[in-house]
């Protein structure tokens, strides 16, 4: 059962690989032909020795030796050229394949929705993009080359032997299946133990790291003995596995050499008899001896590649899974036709967004199934500022993410300007969204690039204008390179407040119809908070906005405040209305207010 599934997926994988190799079929043909010729020539070279012995040395003649030498030179030169050709073409195929796989995978990731990244950890995706794809490139470009070579070389040797003397050839044919079986068995074992060694090794370095970094904690918690014990366990496992790996390698070679010797003895014994009876020449016997010794090389290569391909099977599967994964949020064909997709936006067909948002009987749960929103209804008129407050985990971000179509309702619908957003394209909505997150993300590059990230075509004056609006201009021009200052990886050269202001400038430059602030002010000191508060007021003006704020003082001016609890609206209304009601909002607000006063008094 398992076998047949495996076979099916192998065929499936082969089909896919062939599909990816299609653009390089010219180069692959060249490689294939060169390798076939190379293996043929290599199998033929020992025949030249036989000719030298039989026709020149034993006969003591030099007649025709010039032609012979020229032929020898010709073969050697052809080999050199062909080897150059296949190595350079193989390298090209490897690189192009790796490139196209990465491009495909990357493109797929660009289309994937938030929920995809919930269920697939970043580390998992990174490993697919790097080590798995590299492995596939290697195996496809060089593994197949080695396989073709070993098959070609072995066939060449066998053909020559049968041509010269089939009885002697039969002696070696007997050894062939035994050699192949032993080689595949051992090569697979060797590969597996090597992989175990690597795995345990990374566990050891992990434990080592933890042991050092967590040394103080262990001491305080009196856990040293347990840690040491666990570490000892790992190292002794490592010891056992390494010894096993060495043992297997140590067994494999003598076995092969032993089989080879049996072959040699047989060839020598029978061959001697044949020479005495003048059935074969001395040169032919020498040739057979050479072939017997060479026999082992292609078989070793073949079984090595064979076992490597089996282990690469998993890499193939994982990468194909990534490339062929379904998009969880997808625009229909008709919609892409009209509105375009991420890469090709048909902006001329896009309706302008007024900013009227409505949740209509929305049900929603994440992958793990638990319902977060049930029959959720909410109407927001265009230009309205809505604040969402409530405890962590109450569902504020979920509501906002649904409004942005980062996730879609499982039941019910979200209407933008009265129409279900699934009847328009994702990029239509996303192009009109401004989103500032709690931890702003900047991309490595200049400040200028980061501000214009959502609108590449913006003029420099517009970028400066946006920065001035959110009061980021002053600190930007203080840098020696001004707007060309590199922000570093993830914006690490800037403070959190500065990063936040730049992401505000980025949002405002896009001039979005709908604006979202998800706890954007929670990780900032009081002074930056004031600046950001002003920036927010400017940003919100004239657009539909959702603000999720930790600090309730920042949302007093919102048109409507929603208190969210367990995915439901507990209370709603303006600040003074809710304060007058003396309900949940009143409690939240007064609690925070007294806490603030207390901490002010303390400091
Ligand atoms: N990506 C996710 N995958 C699974 N569950 C999630 C995810 N994001 C949030 N949740 C769960 O949904 C509920 C609401 O979370 P969220 O909307 O982030 O709350 P809030 O923003 O109010 O803190 C929580 O129980 C949380 O654990
Ligand atoms: Mg949240």
């Amino acid at each position: 059962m398992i076998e047949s599934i495996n076979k099916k997926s192998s065929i499936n994988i082969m089909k896919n690989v062939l599909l990816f190799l299609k653009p390089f079929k010219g180069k692959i043909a060249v490689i294939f032909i060169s390798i076939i010729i190379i293996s043929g020539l290599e199998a033929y070279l020992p025949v030249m020795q036989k000719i030298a012995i039989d026709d020149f040395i034993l006969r003591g003649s030099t007649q025709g030796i010039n032609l012979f030498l020229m032929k020898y030179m010709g073969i050697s030169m052809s080999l050199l050229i062909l080897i150059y050709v296949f190595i350079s073409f193989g390298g090209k195929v490897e690189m192009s394949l790796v490139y196209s796989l990465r491009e495909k995978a990357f493109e797929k990731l660009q289309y994937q929705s938030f929920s995809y990244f919930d269920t697939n950890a970043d580390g998992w995706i990174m490993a697919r993009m790097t080590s798995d794809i590299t492995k596939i490139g290697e195996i496809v470009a060089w593994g197949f080359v080695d396989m073709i070579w070993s098959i070609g070389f072995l066939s060449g040797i066998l053909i020559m032997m049968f041509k010269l003397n089939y009885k002697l050839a039969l002696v070696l044919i007997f050894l062939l299946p035994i050699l192949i079986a032993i080689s595949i068995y051992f090569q697979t074992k060797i590969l597996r133990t090597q992989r175990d060694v690597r795995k345990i090794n990374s566990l050891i370095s992990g434990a080592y790291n933890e042991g050092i970094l967590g040394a103080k904690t262990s001491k305080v918690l009196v856990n040293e003995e347990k840690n040491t014990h666990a570490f000892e366990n790992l190292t002794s496992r490592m010891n056992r596995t390494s010894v096993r790996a060495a043992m297997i390698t140590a067994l494999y070679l003598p076995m092969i050499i032993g089989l080879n010797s049996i072959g040699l003895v047989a060839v020598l014994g029978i061959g001697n008899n044949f020479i005495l009876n003048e059935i074969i020449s001395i040169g032919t016997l020498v040739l057979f001896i050479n072939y017997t010794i060479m026999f082992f090389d292609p078989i070793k290569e073949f079984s090595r590649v064979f076992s490597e391909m089996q282990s690469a099977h998993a890499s193939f599967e994982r990468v194909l899974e990534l490339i062929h994964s379904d998009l969880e949020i997808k625009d229909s064909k008709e919609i892409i036709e009209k509105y375009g997709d991420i890469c090709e936006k048909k902006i001329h067909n896009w309706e302008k967004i007024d900013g009227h948002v409505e949740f209509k009987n929305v049900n929603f749960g994440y992958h793990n199934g638990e319902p977060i929103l049930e029959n959720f209804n909410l109407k927001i008129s265009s230009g309205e500022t809505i604040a969402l407050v409530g405890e962590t985990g109450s569902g504020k971000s979920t509501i906002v993410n649904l409004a942005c179509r980062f996730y879609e309702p499982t039941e019910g619908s979200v209407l933008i300007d009265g129409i279900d957003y699934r009847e328009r394209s994702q990029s239509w909505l996303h192009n009109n969204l401004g989103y500032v997150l709690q931890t702003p993300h900047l991309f490595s590059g200049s400040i200028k690039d980061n501000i214009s990230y959502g609108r590449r075509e913006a003029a420099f004056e517009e970028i400066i204008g946006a920065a001035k609006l959110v009061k980021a201009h002053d600190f930007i021009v203080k840098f020696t390179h001004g707007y060309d200052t590199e922000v570093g990886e993830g914006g690490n050269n800037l403070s959190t407040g500065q990063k936040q202001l730049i992401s505000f400038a980025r949002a405002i430059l896009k001039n979005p119809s709908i604006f979202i602030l998800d706890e954007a002010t929670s990780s900032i000191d009081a002074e930056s908070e004031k600046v950001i508060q002003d920036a927010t007021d400017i940003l919100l003006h004239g657009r539909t906005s959702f603000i999720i704020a930790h600090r309730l003082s920042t949302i007093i001016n919102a048109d409507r405040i929603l208190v969210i609890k367990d995915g439901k609206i507990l209370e709603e209304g303006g600040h003074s209305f809710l304060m007058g009601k003396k309900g949940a909002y009143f409690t939240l607000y007064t609690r925070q207010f007294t806490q603030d006063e207390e901490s002010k008094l303390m400091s």
Side-chain angles (χ1 to χ4, degrees):
M1 184 67 185
I2 288 170
E3 193 96 309
S4 74
I5 289 171
N6 252 336
K7 215 168 260 166
K8 217 158 107 199
S9 78
S10 295
I11 292 170
N12 206 359
I13 284 171
M14 278 302 280
K15 264 194 215 147
N16 268 290
V17 170
L18 289 180
L19 218 62
F20 275 106
L21 288 175
K22 221 171 161 191
F24 330 117
K25 54 176 188 273
K27 289 198 183 80
I28 290 171
V30 173
I31 296 174
F32 190 80
I33 294 166
S34 329
I35 289 293
I36 293 286
I37 301 177
I38 288 172
S39 60
L41 289 178
E42 280 185 330
Y44 186 73
L45 269 181
V47 176
M48 295 300 283
Q49 269 183 29
K50 172 204 174 291
I51 295 171
I53 293 172
D54 285 349
D55 294 2
F56 303 114
I57 299 170
L58 289 180
R59 210 176 278 164
S61 134
T62 55
Q63 200 191 358
I65 196 154
N66 284 340
L67 194 70
F68 174 82
L69 288 177
M70 268 162 64
K71 200 170 147 194
Y72 200 96
M73 277 294 285
I75 292 177
S76 306
M77 290 307 288
S78 315
L79 270 176
L80 288 184
I81 294 168
L82 288 170
I83 287 172
Y84 170 79
V85 168
F86 100 76
I87 289 183
S88 58
F89 275 59
K92 275 181 201 152
V93 168
E94 181 186 5
M95 287 308 140
S96 320
L97 179 65
V98 166
Y99 178 79
S100 72
L101 282 172
R102 288 218 171 107
E103 197 181 39
K104 269 269 163 356
F106 191 79
E107 194 188 310
K108 192 47 161 273
L109 289 175
Q110 300 300 303
Y111 282 93
Q112 277 299 5
S113 52
F114 274 37
S115 45
Y116 182 81
F117 297 97
D118 288 342
T119 37
N120 297 285
D122 296 352
W124 187 91
I125 296 172
M126 280 308 283
R128 303 300 74 88
M129 294 291 282
T130 53
S131 57
D132 278 334
I133 290 186
T134 308
K135 196 164 177 187
I136 292 173
E138 270 172 21
I139 268 288
V140 168
W142 305 116
F144 280 113
V145 162
D146 289 338
M147 253 187 169
I148 296 164
W149 175 83
S150 35
I151 293 170
F153 188 52
L154 198 61
S155 318
I157 292 179
L158 288 173
I159 290 170
M160 290 313 295
M161 291 201 295
F162 272 97
K163 252 181 82 177
L164 286 162
N165 187 294
Y166 76 93
K167 280 180 190 154
L168 263 184
L170 280 179
V171 174
L172 289 178
I173 285 285
F174 273 121
L175 288 178
L176 195 63
I178 307 174
L179 267 172
I180 291 179
I182 289 180
S183 291
I184 288 184
Y185 175 78
F186 274 96
Q187 292 283 8
T188 313
K189 277 228 135 149
I190 289 172
L191 202 79
R192 202 171 298 152
T193 42
Q194 277 171 350
R195 206 169 42 212
D196 285 347
V197 168
R198 271 201 302 275
K199 210 160 35 185
I200 300 173
N201 201 22
S202 63
L203 283 179
I204 288 182
S205 24
Y208 211 61
N209 259 340
E210 279 214 326
I212 294 168
L213 297 178
K216 273 189 192 160
T217 322
S218 310
K219 278 234 175 324
V220 177
L221 299 176
V222 203
N223 235 343
E224 298 109 306
E225 198 184 307
K226 209 170 128 212
N227 281 354
T228 313
H229 189 70
F231 196 71
E232 268 170 11
N233 247 339
L234 273 180
T235 45
S236 78
R237 240 176 87 195
M238 178 69 163
N239 190 19
R240 278 197 308 271
T241 316
S242 310
V243 169
R244 204 173 63 229
M247 292 275 284
I248 291 169
T249 319
L251 262 173
Y252 176 50
L253 269 183
M255 276 181 107
I256 293 295
I257 293 171
L259 276 172
N260 237 304
S261 311
I262 294 173
L264 267 180
V265 170
V267 165
L268 267 173
I270 301 170
N272 251 328
N273 231 335
F274 284 181
I275 287 176
L276 291 179
N277 295 321
E278 290 190 10
I279 296 172
I280 57 167
S281 65
I282 293 181
T284 304
L285 183 61
V286 172
L287 179 62
F288 265 90
I289 291 170
N290 275 335
Y291 277 159
T292 312
I293 295 168
M294 286 165 130
F295 219 58
F296 164 61
D297 242 18
I299 292 173
K300 195 176 71 177
E301 274 304 286
F302 184 88
S303 16
R304 182 184 60 79
V305 175
F306 184 79
S307 44
E308 261 174 23
M309 277 184 178
Q310 282 180 322
S311 88
H313 194 277
S315 296
F316 274 114
E317 267 178 348
R318 287 188 295 249
V319 171
L320 290 176
E321 187 189 325
L322 175 75
I323 290 176
H324 295 314
S325 54
D326 271 340
L327 294 178
E328 304 198 7
I329 295 182
K330 208 162 30 177
D331 293 327
S332 73
K333 225 188 224 137
E334 298 81 57
I335 286 169
I336 293 175
E337 185 89 9
K338 180 175 176 197
Y339 293 91
D341 64 7
I342 303 175
C343 296
E344 221 184 309
K345 299 171 185 152
K346 297 184 177 162
I347 296 183
H348 51 274
N349 286 336
W350 289 2
E351 289 90 355
K352 202 188 159 309
I353 293 188
D354 249 355
H356 187 279
V357 181
E358 182 179 352
F359 286 72
K360 210 169 166 184
N361 307 327
V362 168
N363 284 3
F364 177 75
Y366 290 98
H367 271 290
N368 45 15
E370 205 185 313
I372 307 289
L373 300 184
E374 277 172 299
N375 199 17
F376 185 82
N377 286 288
L378 176 64
K379 255 188 195 175
I380 299 149
S381 5
S382 74
E384 200 181 359
T385 299
I386 294 285
L388 302 167
V389 301
E391 286 161 20
T392 307
S394 56
K396 306 180 295 290
S397 299
T398 307
I399 293 167
V400 162
N401 286 339
L402 277 165
C404 297
R405 208 183 163 189
F406 294 143
Y407 298 87
E408 284 178 350
T410 15
E411 270 172 76
S413 51
V414 175
L415 315 178
I416 307 273
D417 297 344
I419 293 173
D420 190 333
Y421 60 19
R422 284 173 287 207
E423 287 172 31
R424 271 110 178 229
S425 78
Q426 293 172 65
S427 38
W428 164 78
L429 178 60
H430 292 166
N431 239 44
N432 283 294
L433 275 185
Y435 201 119
V436 179
L437 290 163
Q438 180 170 19
T439 40
H441 186 85
L442 300 192
F443 299 90
S444 48
S446 66
I447 290 179
K448 198 171 73 190
D449 292 341
N450 267 290
I451 296 179
S452 66
Y453 192 79
R455 234 185 87 205
R456 284 282 176 227
E457 71 285 358
F460 190 42
E461 289 73 42
E462 291 179 278
I463 294 173
I464 295 177
K468 276 186 174 155
L469 257 182
V470 300
K471 310 233 165 59
H473 179 74
D474 295 339
F475 85 80
I476 295 172
V477 289
K478 274 188 200 136
F479 292 124
T480 6
H481 299 293
Y483 281 83
D484 291 317
T485 306
E486 290 293 318
V487 300
E489 200 183 319
N492 282 336
N493 298 349
L494 305 178
S495 74
T496 313
Q498 289 171 335
K499 280 195 269 190
Q500 197 62 279
L501 287 180
I502 287 175
S503 62
F504 271 82
R506 178 199 288 165
I508 207 165
L509 183 69
K510 241 177 113 180
N511 196 18
S513 320
I514 300 172
F515 184 72
I516 284 127
L517 255 174
D518 194 344
E519 310 218 27
T521 49
S522 62
S523 54
I524 294 175
D525 55 88
E527 197 179 324
S528 310
E529 194 182 318
K530 170 83 184 70
V531 179
I532 284 175
Q533 182 61 43
D534 295 345
T536 312
D537 291 342
I538 294 160
L539 259 165
L540 301 186
H541 191 73
R543 350 176 176 260
T544 309
S545 323
F546 293 85
I547 314 177
I548 299 175
H550 194 63
R551 315 247 354 107
L552 299 183
S553 57
T554 57
I555 52 146
I556 291 175
N557 297 327
D559 296 320
R560 195 152 37 126
I561 298 167
L562 308 180
V563 182
I564 306 293
K565 187 166 193 237
D566 298 332
K568 291 184 187 63
I569 301 172
L570 199 64
E571 279 175 11
E572 65 176 296
H575 172 73
S576 28
F577 170 76
L578 288 177
M579 288 302 280
K581 217 179 150 199
K582 295 213 181 326
Y585 180 77
F586 175 81
T587 320
L588 274 174
Y589 190 84
T590 38
R591 198 200 301 152
Q592 201 168 70
F593 188 76
T594 34
Q595 272 170 5
D596 283 359
E597 289 305 305
E598 274 169 12
S599 58
K600 255 187 222 153
L601 281 175
M602 299 277 274
S603 60

